[in-house]
Amino acid sequence: MTDKQLPTATAMVVFLAFAFAYFLSALIRAITATLSPILTLELGLQARDLGLLAGGYFLGFAAMQLPLGQWLDRFGPKKVIVCFLSVAVIGCLAFAKASSFHGLLAARILTGAGVSACLMAPLTGYRRWFASSSQLRASSWMLMTGSMGMVASTLPVQWLMPMWGWRGIFMALAAMVVVAIVSILLLVPSWGERTSKQPQVPNLSADGPRQRGGYAAVWAHPYFRSLVPLGFFGYGGLVAVQTLWATPWMIKVAGYSAQQAATGMFWINVAMLCAFWLWGSITPWLVRRRVSTNSLIVRGLPLSFILLAIIIIAAQPYNTPANGVFEYKNGGSHGATSWLDWLTSVTWAAWGMWALYCVSCTFVALVQPALSMTFAPEQAGRALSAYNLVIFSGVFVVQWGIGLLIDGFKALGASEIVAFQAAFGVFLGCCMASYGYFVYTRPDNQAV
């Protein structure tokens, strides 16, 4: 262990403090999927409005990424995340008090900006504090913690709604973020506490001091550029589906009730939790076997395209009787007319297929720790934040874009189900094109 690395016990405490904050950020991020039916009912939202409201979080999130990277490299993760989380408290309180759609949107943007450091701050710290072999595991388990937050945003939120209402839930979230701030202040070391014995790595670039605070080297890096479309549509699209559009699909296309959709989202997020736990468990073994991140993405990600295509093609209208038992499109209750009918003829089918799709997309989540190790430690914050900007810009565009496409296809005369199919077909095409770009342009990156 070098002087830069934290002792094991301290590292575990630091991880837990950061993980609690990221748990809350993921809960706040995904809660709009569970609240979408009641917000749509209370405010009379159309699909594009719902997409914009959910995407407002990611707009605020993305807007902070470039300054965030500079501040992380300069001031360290502890100071930065505490300041940002203070903004998140204000955003949650504002959402709870808002009385109009525009007020909710403004509060959502503010909240997104406030939690925008909850993953980048710990990953920047891990770049210095954790051994290289532990960084992929720590990153995967942070994402697992985020999946726990998304699980908490489903059935638990649905259960609390009759007692607290959505405004009371956001008041409680504000109080929990305050607890996270206090935990980080008490448990996370300051930037210089473990690195003061180490000489600062000199900046040897031709641009000297100017380059130290900028993003030119990050954006110019060929590996980073190869990842941009993949992060925008692949990773951004995964988050857009998981935090919003899987729920409307289950309700509008598969015929679920709000309670059934919340249950479906619960199991989707449980599946994601298990996937990230598994990645965290096996990545050290993969590193020892010299299996690269690039090869995992190239070989594994096409499965997500196949699953999304099946979901789109298999979508059919259903009758859902009062007893909650799904009937087939042809009105029968026994036997599927084809394998595609079977895929969507049982109550688990919609959430089960979306769970498989989301899990198959997790290959792209391995990019972040690999990207940070591609750059020097003093540039890790900027590299991660620049890529995060790409991801969450993609989330905003995909969330709002799918809503616009659905409304647009309906305006052209398509039924609601066909409009959903067409919108997601466009999304699938974008994902496949981004994958093709990555395969075609990616350099031989020895760092990962």
Side-chain angles (χ1 to χ4, degrees):
M1 182 184 75
T2 69
D3 288 339
K4 290 183 179 181
Q5 294 175 23
L6 295 173
T8 301
T10 305
M12 292 177 62
V13 170
V14 168
F15 176 87
L16 291 174
F18 278 133
F20 179 59
Y22 189 57
F23 167 87
L24 293 175
S25 76
L27 196 166
I28 294 168
R29 177 203 307 172
I31 199 171
T32 49
T34 303
L35 298 181
S36 61
I38 189 169
L39 293 177
T40 299
L41 181 64
E42 287 191 11
L43 301 174
L45 303 182
Q46 299 184 46
R48 61 179 177 270
D49 301 321
L50 185 61
L52 181 58
L53 181 61
Y57 170 100
F58 300 103
L59 180 62
F61 199 108
M64 297 308 301
Q65 291 306 301
L66 293 184
L68 171 64
Q70 293 178 319
W71 294 334
L72 285 172
D73 287 334
R74 181 177 180 184
F75 300 111
K78 179 177 181 176
K79 291 181 180 179
V80 171
I81 194 172
V82 166
C83 292
F84 273 66
L85 286 176
S86 300
V87 176
V89 173
I90 298 172
C92 288
L93 293 174
F95 196 92
K97 297 296 183 180
S99 58
S100 68
F101 169 74
H102 293 96
L104 291 175
L105 178 60
R108 195 68 178 155
I109 293 172
L110 189 64
T111 304
V115 299
S116 60
C118 287
L119 182 59
M120 295 302 99
L123 291 186
T124 300
Y126 300 160
R127 179 67 178 89
R128 293 194 184 187
W129 294 331
F130 289 11
S132 297
S133 60
S134 301
Q135 290 180 42
L136 281 168
R137 168 176 285 176
S139 175
S140 294
W141 283 354
M142 284 293 293
L143 295 173
M144 179 188 71
T145 304
S147 295
M148 292 180 183
M150 293 185 181
V151 169
S153 75
T154 55
L155 285 180
V157 169
Q158 194 77 17
W159 294 332
L160 290 173
M161 280 290 295
M163 295 181 292
W164 294 1
W166 61 269
R167 297 183 187 275
I169 289 173
F170 270 86
M171 295 287 287
L173 287 173
M176 294 173 72
V177 174
V178 171
V179 174
I181 291 172
V182 174
S183 299
I184 290 170
L185 285 172
L186 295 177
L187 301 175
V188 175
S190 297
W191 202 223
E193 286 182 13
R194 296 292 304 176
T195 60
S196 58
K197 295 180 181 181
Q198 294 290 324
Q200 293 297 315
V201 178
N203 191 313
L204 300 178
S205 68
D207 293 330
R210 182 181 67 83
Q211 183 66 35
R212 180 176 301 172
Y215 281 84
V218 174
W219 291 100
H221 198 287
Y223 185 60
F224 182 90
R225 290 201 306 269
S226 73
L227 292 169
V228 168
L230 198 64
F232 191 92
F233 289 110
Y235 205 157
L238 164 63
V239 178
V241 168
Q242 189 183 5
T243 57
L244 178 62
W245 285 112
T247 295
W249 182 284
M250 286 186 283
I251 293 173
K252 301 292 187 180
V253 178
Y256 281 31
S257 67
Q259 179 67 30
Q260 288 173 322
T263 303
M265 285 306 305
F266 174 86
W267 290 111
I268 289 171
N269 290 314
V270 167
M272 292 292 285
L273 186 158
C274 295
F276 286 126
W277 173 82
L278 182 61
W279 278 123
S281 299
I282 68 173
T283 46
W285 178 83
L286 293 173
V287 169
R288 290 194 298 270
R289 296 291 297 268
R290 299 187 180 276
V291 178
S292 73
T293 301
N294 289 340
S295 64
L296 289 171
I297 294 173
V298 170
R299 296 172 185 174
L301 196 56
L303 177 60
S304 68
F305 308 147
I306 297 171
L307 290 168
L308 183 55
I310 292 174
I311 291 170
I312 294 169
I313 296 170
Q316 300 180 54
Y318 287 89
N319 299 317
T320 308
N323 63 10
V325 178
F326 276 52
E327 295 179 349
Y328 298 119
K329 182 179 178 181
N330 61 11
S333 59
H334 302 285
T337 59
S338 72
W339 67 276
L340 287 179
D341 290 334
W342 178 82
L343 283 172
T344 51
S345 63
V346 290
T347 55
W348 58 263
W351 73 256
M353 290 302 296
W354 280 119
L356 290 174
Y357 166 76
C358 290
V359 168
S360 68
C361 289
T362 58
F363 290 94
V364 295
L366 302 175
V367 164
Q368 286 171 310
L371 183 65
S372 72
M373 289 186 283
T374 302
F375 291 86
E378 65 272 14
Q379 288 184 308
R382 277 163 286 167
L384 288 166
S385 295
Y387 188 63
N388 228 31
L389 171 62
V390 171
I391 293 171
F392 286 96
S393 297
V395 178
F396 174 74
V397 170
V398 173
Q399 276 195 338
W400 193 18
I402 288 177
L404 290 172
L405 287 170
I406 291 170
D407 286 344
F409 286 119
K410 288 168 67 177
L412 293 174
S415 67
E416 188 154 50
I417 290 178
V418 172
F420 267 81
Q421 287 177 305
F424 275 85
V426 173
F427 168 60
L428 174 59
C430 293
C431 290
M432 294 175 67
S434 68
Y435 171 81
Y437 178 84
F438 173 73
V439 172
Y440 179 75
T441 63
R442 65 187 177 92
D444 181 17
N445 187 32
Q446 297 298 328
V448 296

